[in-house]
Amino acid sequence: MAEDDFCGWCGAAASAPHANGCARRRIVDPPRFCARCARRMVVQVTPAGWSARCSVHGESHASSRDAGAR
């Protein structure tokens, strides 16, 4: 499977049509689902950014500086 087969915000297949809700959530919310396997992730949000951990694929993170670049 490719690197990002699933939406990190709703868990649906990346090729599936998405409602505008996912696009809006990307601006302010960290992903809640692993983009590689669609499993729910453990997410921690801090003033400095966020980190998310998939039980299979490990951890990803972004600082508050990176949030605007997503």
Side-chain angles (χ1 to χ4, degrees), residues 2-70:
E3 183 74 21
D4 291 337
D5 289 330
F6 301 95
C7 175
W9 285 265
C10 71
S15 59
H18 282 76
N20 288 335
C22 288
R24 284 190 299 247
R25 281 191 271 174
R26 290 175 190 200
I27 296 169
V28 295
D29 288 338
R32 305 292 177 171
F33 294 87
C34 178
R36 295 174 70 188
C37 66
R39 284 182 173 80
R40 289 281 288 174
M41 296 191 294
V42 176
V43 178
Q44 182 172 10
V45 178
T46 66
W50 58 264
S51 64
R53 183 173 35 88
C54 172
S55 61
V56 174
H57 296 105
E59 190 167 320
S60 60
H61 61 277
S63 69
S64 56
R65 282 182 302 171
D66 299 336
R70 284 188 281 147

